[in-house]
Amino acid sequence: QHLEGALLTNMGQQARLGRYPLHFHMSDCVHGSTLAKNVIWESNQRCVVIHGSHNVTVSENVAYDTKGHCFMLEDGGEWDNKFLYNLGAKTATNIKIRDQETDDFPSTFWITNPSNHWVGNVAAGSAGPGIWFELKLRAPSSGLDINRGINPKFLPLGTFDNNTAHSNGFRAGITTYRSGYRAPPGTTWNNIKVYKNERAYGIQHSSFMILVR
């Protein structure tokens, strides 16, 4: 599956589960699948959602003036996906699809499983954090064999290099708020750039063993 160079505007349906501009839904391993050089503009709900799917490459996309979490892993059962050189700007709050969602406190990059890869991405102008590690596993992925017995708060980080979070709103540019991250030794946020955020550059909440450089 390959989608490149498309303009998607006024897509996504507010408060309806699964209605997003670009969505991999419970696709399992999809080696070679790419979403590249697309523009998502004025989305009504989220941007690129990877759900229960693995080995997707999301690269060089731009999302502007969107509502709710933007580039996201949906329920913590997503592995080895690559988010490379994407730009998300002006991520606005949205009404929640259901009570357990947090789109009313949106982040441009919303991360539920750290065992994926983020390189060279930019989060700018979110109403909430630019990049949010809200690590958790929930249904339906929690019921799959590949996820049996795991807790994303303790998983190794794939790659987190050269990412930027600036001019974001409430709380921080990058945060592990609420869930925390009990990272394995050697976990590194490498060459990150965080500036001009409303409250703080970064917040590591209930987190351990993360080297920031």
Side-chain angles (χ1 to χ4, degrees):
Q1 298 174 348
H2 180 78
L3 179 66
E4 180 173 347
L7 170 63
L8 299 93
T9 184
N10 198 33
M11 300 185 74
Q13 296 173 308
Q14 277 190 329
R16 295 196 64 187
L17 190 65
R19 300 297 191 263
Y20 321 123
L22 294 173
H23 185 198
F24 275 80
H25 180 73
M26 306 304 290
S27 301
D28 203 357
C29 292
V30 284
H31 287 280
S33 292
T34 59
L35 302 173
K37 300 179 181 178
N38 302 292
V39 174
I40 301 170
W41 179 30
E42 295 183 340
S43 169
N44 299 298
Q45 183 164 265
R46 301 179 172 173
C47 305
V48 177
V49 178
I50 308 299
H51 183 198
S53 304
H54 326 301
N55 307 106
V56 181
T57 298
V58 181
S59 67
E60 299 178 89
N61 300 282
V62 174
Y64 177 74
D65 196 9
T66 61
K67 294 182 176 68
H69 298 312
C70 191
F71 297 93
M72 59 174 285
L73 304 171
E74 189 160 352
D75 61 18
E78 298 81 30
W79 301 85
D80 291 316
N81 298 289
K82 297 179 177 68
F83 294 84
L84 312 174
Y85 308 104
N86 301 286
L87 167 64
K90 197 178 178 185
T91 306
T93 59
N94 200 7
I95 56 177
K96 294 197 290 186
I97 302 170
R98 51 188 178 178
D99 287 343
Q100 60 264 46
E101 306 299 330
T102 51
D103 296 85
D104 56 335
F105 183 57
S107 59
T108 303
F109 292 86
W110 192 63
I111 298 167
T112 54
N113 184 331
S115 294
N116 292 270
H117 308 275
W118 297 266
V119 177
N121 301 287
V122 177
S126 172
I131 302 171
W132 186 3
F133 287 81
E134 191 178 17
L135 305 178
K136 55 188 175 181
L137 178 66
R138 54 187 184 170
S141 286
S142 58
L144 301 178
D145 287 343
I146 191 174
N147 301 316
R148 194 174 304 279
I150 71 149
N151 185 335
K153 292 189 290 187
F154 299 93
L155 291 175
L157 180 65
T159 312
F160 195 77
D161 291 352
N162 300 300
N163 297 295
T164 300
H166 73 83
S167 308
N168 297 291
F170 183 72
R171 202 164 293 282
I174 303 175
T175 185
T176 62
Y177 175 64
R178 193 170 297 170
S179 67
Y181 185 19
R182 282 70 163 177
T187 298
T188 303
W189 294 353
N190 188 49
N191 197 31
I192 62 170
K193 301 176 181 65
V194 186
Y195 59 94
K196 289 188 176 179
N197 298 288
E198 183 177 326
R199 293 281 184 98
Y201 292 142
I203 295 177
Q204 292 187 19
H205 182 271
S206 299
S207 299
F208 309 95
M209 305 298 292
I210 302 172
L211 174 64
V212 179
R213 63 182 183 186

